[in-house]
Amino acid sequence: MTLVTLIFTATKLAGVLFSVTIAANAFSFSRFKRKNLKSFKSPIDESLDILAEFNINPTSEGEEGFFFGLATAPAHVEDRLNDAWLNFAEESHCDQPESEPADAIMGSAGGDGGSQPSKLPDKEANKSMKKKKPLKIAMEALIRGFEKYEEIEEPSSNEECHHTVAAWHNVPHPEERLRFWSDPDTELKLAKDTGIQVFRMGIDWTRIMPEEPMNGSNATTNFAALERYKWIINKVHSYGMKVMLTLFHHSLPPWAAEYGGWRLEKTLDYFMEFTRVVVDCVSELVDYWVTFNEPHVFCMLTYCAGSWPGGNPDMLEVATSALPTGVFNQAMNWMAIAHSMAYDYIHEKSVSAIVGAAHHVSFMRPYGLFDVAATSVTNSLTLFPFMDSISDKLDYIGINYYGQEVVCGAGLKLVERDEYSESGRGVYPDGLYRVLLHFHERYKHLSVPFIITENGVADETDLIRRPYLLEHLLATYAAMIKGVPILGYLFWTISDNWEWADGYGPKFGLVAVDRSNNLARNPRPSYHLFSKVVKSGKITRLDRAQAWNELQAAAKDGKKRPFYRAVDKRSLMYAGGLDKPIFRPYIERDWRFGHYEMEGLQDPLSRLSRYMLRPLFAGL
């Protein structure tokens, strides 16, 4: 065979393989589109003055009512809490100068495989040097074991530091959070004045068991702290609100992290000791129980990515984390068993208890043709497996929904025409409606209701939050019209607080907090709008139009607002937060419920194909 013939044959083979790959991905997307992106007609009659009316005051005993609530968690709001998050935030990783001779030495930089410069000679100190810097990439990439580097040129310095929690070290008194432990009345009064019926809070495992209970819970339990929590729960009731109590909300005790945490079975045993102590103390005071909040988010960011406290995965764990025997499934398995055991124990102590779990769901879609597989893999790991494994131990299904994620290559795409929260979540109320219908179809045989256990948006300007609130409530109401049984809706959250590894950057609160003025609270306009909806149970056409028009006026004027995600030149969002925000314009696109027009795939090949095929369908 001549060289020319060999090249020609190889080219033909490559062409065939490319065509097959394109065809396979196109087929996968067509299935994905039919299942997840099919257009729908909103069941909301927008010509009416009252667009939605929730039954907040059922008149008969058997009539299904609807409640509104507000949600928070210990790590966000409690002062005097020496937990894993405080220890994590106080860490700083610095490239300390070495007492070496004058040459520049490149050394290993911890477990991330990066590199760091050692001390340079004084005459070289102000020069730039090239180094490999690890790129922060999205969770979808991390669980597939990708680790990317870019070669950058940056000034050398004798010491370089970065913080594990963004926007934390640069705010006044970050360790005080919202002082909910020492002063719960401030938050509870704000919550009560909205008119809500349910207040969601948590009990921190570390505070109750500050040390590993190797010799039983009695030896290590802080009973004084337990009584304080009981006092706070009674105070919630004194304000006329019911209690939804979370047992595990992203806070693993430091002593458990030291031996591996939820990777190991003994954490299940310790968690049950904690659960029994709590249930024995407050079971008669709790109206709704949440055993675990977003367990797959915790496992991914702790054990697969290592970006949350308590994980510290090595590269092998990262690379194999999504496999059936990987660390993700190991941890999720123990948490599922822990939920089931906690469910049984709570019902043993209180027959009328209402127990569930809060499951995080993002609406995920591919950016381009070759992103369909990554989207499908991520959905297969996060959508249903945990809920399937505990489905026989649920009195309700909790849904935490914040927005949509657009998967692109090894990261998440910032789509310029979409609106985003300050923390980088795409605003997409239709997604909540789609999720509720999708989950109802899968679990309707259980005959259990849903609760929106979290929904909210980071928006310091409060212009996005008002329409966001109303449109997501309309999505909830539309799902109820379609037959989805929904007991209630909890907004996240009351006051701006510590948002995990993003620190105090993203502002999720209905109430602003002035951290430089003794944590003074300043209710935003959305606080008053939320209160109006809660007290009336109604969403009016006038309120909807006013909230939307104010946002669109800001967009038309070219105004900008804070954004706490770094974005690279390909519009991929970094996984970490920013100490100080960049600024992004408001978007004019209509994202109201039932109005969002879903675009097709946006990669160059897909757009070229649509352009070339458009004349063929122009007359149809």
Side-chain angles (χ1 to χ4, degrees):
M1 181 180 291
T2 65
L3 180 61
V4 173
T5 304
L6 184 63
I7 293 174
F8 180 73
T9 303
T11 303
K12 284 177 62 179
L13 180 60
V16 170
L17 290 174
F18 181 74
S19 300
V20 170
T21 303
I22 294 291
N25 279 279
F27 176 73
S28 295
F29 178 69
S30 66
R31 292 185 60 193
F32 181 90
K33 185 177 180 180
R34 282 197 303 272
K35 186 176 182 181
N36 300 287
L37 303 178
K38 187 177 180 180
S39 61
F40 65 87
K41 178 176 173 55
S42 170
I44 303 293
D45 186 348
E46 298 189 3
S47 66
L48 298 176
D49 290 335
I50 298 176
L51 300 177
E53 186 168 5
F54 297 93
N55 187 14
I56 56 174
N57 294 307
T59 55
S60 61
E61 190 172 323
E63 186 179 357
E64 286 293 341
F66 186 91
F67 68 77
F68 288 94
L70 287 164
T72 188
H76 289 275
V77 299
E78 288 186 14
D79 55 325
R80 305 179 189 176
L81 178 59
N82 187 24
D83 63 341
W85 279 100
L86 181 62
N87 298 336
F88 189 63
E90 289 177 338
E91 292 177 9
S92 63
H93 301 279
C94 299
D95 299 337
Q96 299 291 347
E98 301 283 343
S99 55
E100 295 282 341
D103 292 339
I105 303 171
M106 301 300 291
S108 175
D112 64 359
S115 56
Q116 60 184 2
S118 63
K119 185 177 180 180
L120 295 175
D122 291 339
K123 65 180 180 180
E124 298 290 326
N126 295 322
K127 289 186 178 181
S128 295
M129 63 176 295
K130 286 187 177 180
K131 62 183 285 188
K132 283 189 175 181
K133 176 184 178 182
L135 284 174
K136 294 181 179 178
I137 54 180
M139 193 59 243
E140 285 70 39
L142 288 168
I143 63 174
R144 286 182 277 158
F146 294 155
E147 184 80 16
K148 289 193 172 184
Y149 296 88
E150 60 176 345
E151 192 173 70
I152 60 172
E153 193 166 293
E154 59 181 30
S156 298
S157 64
N158 289 347
E159 183 175 296
E160 293 180 2
C161 296
H162 74 273
H163 301 298
T164 52
V165 175
W168 195 87
H169 290 261
N170 59 346
V171 302
H173 311 295
E175 74 287 346
E176 292 190 352
R177 307 182 211 205
L178 289 180
R179 298 183 191 148
F180 185 74
W181 181 254
S182 59
D183 175 28
D185 288 282
T186 297
E187 288 292 282
L188 292 179
K189 187 177 187 308
L190 285 165
K192 173 190 176 295
D193 288 348
T194 65
I196 61 165
Q197 298 87 25
V198 175
F199 182 82
R200 182 181 170 195
M201 57 175 284
I203 289 186
D204 189 81
W205 187 359
T206 305
R207 197 189 286 278
I208 300 302
M209 291 183 171
E211 297 177 4
E212 184 177 355
M214 291 182 289
N215 299 315
S217 58
N218 285 337
T220 59
T221 297
N222 183 341
F223 288 100
L226 194 59
E227 285 300 313
R228 177 72 176 182
Y229 274 120
K230 187 175 182 178
W231 176 79
I232 293 173
I233 291 171
N234 274 312
K235 188 167 278 290
V236 175
H237 286 298
S238 74
Y239 279 100
M241 297 178 289
K242 293 182 178 180
V243 174
M244 178 179 285
L245 192 69
T246 307
L247 292 173
F248 187 87
H249 201 135
H250 299 331
S251 291
L252 183 73
W255 49 260
E258 289 179 5
Y259 66 71
W262 286 104
R263 295 179 179 94
L264 302 180
E265 183 178 3
K266 71 176 180 176
T267 304
L268 162 64
D269 299 327
Y270 289 156
F271 177 77
M272 283 310 302
E273 290 193 39
F274 162 69
T275 298
R276 284 188 283 268
V277 166
V278 171
V279 173
D280 290 349
C281 181
V282 302
S283 62
E284 297 306 315
L285 301 174
V286 176
D287 302 279
Y288 303 90
W289 293 86
V290 179
T291 55
F292 286 89
N293 182 79
E294 303 178 344
H296 78 263
V297 173
F298 174 83
C299 289
M300 280 187 172
L301 295 179
T302 303
Y303 300 119
C304 304
S307 55
W308 277 11
N312 302 314
D314 57 36
M315 289 305 298
L316 180 61
E317 282 185 313
V318 172
T320 61
S321 59
L323 297 177
T325 57
V327 65
F328 176 76
N329 282 310
Q330 289 176 19
M332 289 295 291
N333 173 63
W334 295 125
M335 294 175 102
I337 295 173
H339 164 87
S340 297
M341 293 176 67
Y343 177 94
D344 288 339
Y345 190 78
I346 293 169
H347 276 283
E348 179 184 320
K349 293 296 179 178
S350 177
V351 178
S352 60
I354 302 173
V355 186
H359 183 53
H360 175 82
V361 186
S362 290
F363 184 85
M364 306 200 72
R365 63 182 176 91
Y367 179 75
L369 187 62
F370 296 100
D371 302 316
V372 179
T375 306
S376 298
V377 167
T378 303
N379 281 337
S380 71
L381 286 170
T382 62
L383 271 185
F384 299 123
F386 180 75
M387 301 307 287
D388 286 349
S389 65
I390 64 171
S391 60
D392 60 337
K393 303 287 185 180
L394 290 171
D395 300 320
Y396 71 88
I397 296 172
I399 297 291
N400 292 2
Y401 177 85
Y402 288 90
Q404 73 168 332
E405 313 280 7
V406 181
V407 178
C408 179
L412 297 177
K413 189 79 167 181
L414 187 145
V415 180
E416 292 298 334
R417 291 188 64 245
D418 278 344
E419 190 63 270
Y420 284 83
S421 72
E422 292 172 352
S423 55
R425 292 183 173 110
V427 177
Y428 183 52
D430 287 7
L432 177 57
Y433 174 77
R434 292 179 185 274
V435 163
L436 287 168
L437 264 59
H438 199 179
F439 271 69
H440 178 54
E441 181 63 28
R442 188 176 185 93
Y443 297 114
K444 61 185 177 184
H445 65 282
L446 300 177
S447 298
V448 298
F450 290 83
I451 297 176
I452 311 302
T453 37
E454 288 180 26
N455 178 238
V457 64
D459 173 32
E460 183 176 358
T461 68
D462 208 45
L463 284 174
I464 297 173
R465 183 178 290 106
R466 281 173 277 166
Y468 179 100
L469 167 65
L470 297 181
E471 300 304 327
H472 283 81
L473 281 172
L474 287 174
T476 302
Y477 190 72
M480 294 170 70
I481 293 174
K482 287 294 187 179
V484 182
I486 304 174
L487 289 181
Y489 170 95
L490 291 93
F491 192 77
W492 184 276
T493 181
I494 310 166
S495 301
D496 293 339
N497 56 34
W498 180 349
E499 180 56 26
W500 308 122
D502 288 340
Y504 291 97
K507 307 296 191 295
F508 276 89
L510 295 169
V511 178
V513 178
D514 187 348
R515 302 200 68 82
S516 62
N517 185 24
N518 199 32
L519 305 186
R521 308 298 207 277
N522 299 297
R524 295 185 168 107
S526 58
Y527 175 87
H528 302 293
L529 177 61
F530 180 71
S531 302
K532 180 180 179 181
V533 173
V534 169
K535 292 173 182 176
S536 68
K538 299 174 183 178
I539 297 175
T540 67
R541 182 158 52 95
L542 181 61
D543 284 340
R544 186 194 197 196
Q546 183 176 347
W548 182 251
N549 291 340
E550 288 183 17
L551 172 62
Q552 290 305 292
K556 288 181 172 62
D557 289 344
K559 293 182 178 179
K560 296 185 177 182
R561 48 36 171 246
F563 189 69
Y564 282 89
R565 281 283 177 271
V567 182
D568 70 10
K569 60 185 178 182
R570 295 170 298 164
S571 294
L572 291 180
M573 289 183 283
Y574 290 169
L578 298 174
D579 284 333
K580 295 181 180 180
I582 58 177
F583 286 84
R584 172 177 163 79
Y586 295 101
I587 305 300
E588 292 188 48
R589 182 174 190 166
D590 192 349
W591 48 260
R592 290 174 297 168
F593 174 69
H595 288 251
Y596 186 97
E597 294 185 5
M598 184 63 68
E599 297 172 326
L601 297 172
Q602 294 299 300
D603 60 294
L605 180 62
S606 298
R607 283 185 288 179
L608 177 63
S609 299
R610 281 199 299 274
Y611 176 78
M612 294 176 65
L613 294 174
R614 188 176 301 162
L616 299 178
F617 298 97
L620 297 180

